[in-house]
Amino acid sequence: MTAASFLPWQQETASAWLAGRERFAHAWLVHGMAGIGKLQFASAAAASLLCESPRQHLACGECPACTWVASGNHPDLRRIRPEAIAVLEGANATEGAEEAEPASGAAAKRAPSKEIRIDQIRALESWFNTATHRGGWRVALLYPAQALNVISANALLKVLEEPPPHTVFLLVADAPDRLLPTLVSRCRRLPLPAPGAQESLQWLQEQGVSQAQDWLAAAGGAPLAAVRLAQDGDQACPAWLSQLVGPMAQGQAPDIGALAEGLEKSAPAEWIDALQRLYADLILAGVGAPVRYFPSLAKPVGQAAARANAVRLAEGARWLTQQRRLATHPLNAKLFAHATLQRMVLSCQG
């Protein structure tokens, strides 16, 4: 393994920020648009704070501390995240915490939690009460911060009100307004800007992403999100979107039954996300602005937007946001897709 490093567009921000490590706040909220590398920034920041021979304030990658971070065994680093994310990463939800007793019965069969639970915060108490292993910083990396439930957020708030010595908390979040306001008030905010288009495209090409411009557009300008989309999909603009928008551009009704049947085998979260991006393009086109997500559909999207009622479009977009919350529920997939597409078409009618 190798320690996380800062992405090219993060280097300048990281160097300037870490230059003040001697006067560091005890808690930082690293936030910004989804898919720009906030977690990678925070992971690289943790490695830099723990590094014993930093170079220009960044981790050297060679000292014992960097070696331990790279192997996931540094005693002064904890990662706190939901069980579901830890499973995907192949680790425990709280790295370095003592192993819990094996669960039995129903507890052993429960699905991994998608929330950061209070026992994960409490598990840090013994860690706080011991001296740091190398006499330097202790770093708690918590992500995504919006996965804190009310109880665990309040438990963390109590910790931050009387922070343990030599400890830095790095909280990673897409949107601070989704967090407990009192928790946000206890953190210094570090907003990370999205990289420019040219820098993103160059990086995507270096990652071997073909048709990088289309994938970057589909991801709304977020390069890491573009990589994930390119890995999961065949084309940046799904064919079914063209089949949906094309007829509407001509004032005709698309074949919702066939489209719903095609989406039945796809994860609802995926096609709902695509529809949300399409709605954004329709609303932009409706006010004469360039589309953002699907430039290859700019012409039919513009024609469909010209036929639509702006108020109904906005209402449809809000309704779809509500449906997004149902995406992981065990619904009838085909019926769910059919109802959603039907509502979409109705909202686009004049």
Side-chain angles (χ1 to χ4, degrees):
M1 291 179 64
T2 57
S5 58
F6 293 103
L7 292 161
W9 54 88
Q10 299 173 345
Q11 295 279 349
E12 187 175 343
T13 299
S15 295
W17 174 59
L18 289 166
R21 72 173 70 201
E22 298 304 323
R23 301 178 302 280
F24 240 37
H26 65 273
W28 291 88
L29 177 58
V30 181
H31 62 94
M33 188 171 81
I36 61 172
K38 297 185 300 298
L39 178 55
Q40 186 156 342
F41 180 95
S43 298
S48 298
L49 288 169
L50 294 169
C51 178
E52 297 170 7
S53 304
R55 299 171 183 170
Q56 296 182 326
H57 314 297
L58 307 184
C60 70
E62 298 173 358
C63 69
C66 285
T67 302
W68 291 335
V69 170
S71 63
N73 293 322
H74 199 298
D76 293 330
L77 174 63
R78 293 288 186 274
R79 291 176 179 263
I80 306 99
R81 68 280 210 213
E83 288 177 348
I85 292 179
V87 168
L88 291 175
E89 295 177 349
N92 296 321
T94 306
E95 282 183 6
E98 294 181 3
E99 292 289 342
E101 290 296 321
S104 59
K109 298 179 181 178
R110 70 173 177 82
S113 175
K114 295 181 180 179
E115 296 183 336
I116 295 174
R117 305 187 319 274
I118 188 171
D119 57 301
Q120 293 175 256
I121 306 301
R122 289 174 175 167
L124 300 171
E125 292 178 3
S126 60
W127 183 57
F128 295 148
N129 294 326
T130 58
T132 58
H133 188 73
R134 306 284 285 190
W137 289 108
R138 178 190 291 120
V139 182
L141 176 56
L142 186 148
Y143 60 94
Q146 57 264 26
L148 288 159
N149 57 39
V150 175
I151 298 174
S152 57
N154 278 301
L156 179 60
L157 177 61
K158 292 180 180 178
V159 174
L160 298 184
E161 287 174 343
E162 297 182 14
H166 310 297
T167 302
V168 174
F169 288 83
L170 300 177
L171 282 66
V172 181
D174 294 339
D177 58 358
R178 295 173 59 189
L179 305 178
L180 194 68
T182 48
L183 182 60
V184 174
S185 70
R186 292 291 174 179
C187 302
R188 288 282 298 277
R189 291 171 66 153
L190 181 63
L192 296 184
Q198 290 305 314
E199 191 170 22
S200 296
L201 288 172
Q202 180 180 343
W203 182 80
L204 286 170
Q205 289 163 0
E206 291 170 355
Q207 308 310 305
V209 177
S210 59
Q211 298 179 321
Q213 191 164 0
D214 290 340
W215 288 111
L216 185 63
L224 272 73
V227 170
R228 289 193 290 270
L229 288 175
Q231 291 172 342
D232 296 339
D234 296 327
Q235 49 188 333
C237 181
W240 63 269
L241 277 183
S242 301
Q243 297 164 13
L244 175 66
V245 177
M248 289 195 298
Q250 305 302 319
Q252 301 171 1
D255 188 345
I256 294 177
L259 289 170
E261 189 172 343
L263 294 178
E264 182 180 4
K265 298 179 182 178
S266 301
E270 293 178 6
W271 56 260
I272 288 180
D273 286 346
L275 281 178
Q276 287 182 304
R277 296 197 295 273
L278 179 61
Y279 260 116
D281 278 354
L282 284 164
I283 292 172
L284 286 171
V287 295
V291 299
R292 179 180 184 185
Y293 295 102
F294 302 113
S296 63
L297 292 180
K299 183 177 180 179
V301 163
Q303 293 171 333
R307 293 175 175 274
N309 177 282
V311 174
R312 296 181 72 174
L313 262 183
E315 290 174 348
R318 284 194 294 271
W319 179 83
L320 190 60
T321 298
Q322 297 171 348
Q323 300 310 297
R324 179 65 177 80
R325 299 168 188 163
L326 303 175
T328 57
H329 290 209
L331 303 171
N332 182 309
K334 184 177 180 180
L335 185 61
F336 184 46
H338 192 283
T340 304
L341 291 173
Q342 189 171 45
R343 178 63 185 263
M344 165 79 182
V345 172
L346 289 173
S347 70
C348 289
Q349 293 178 349

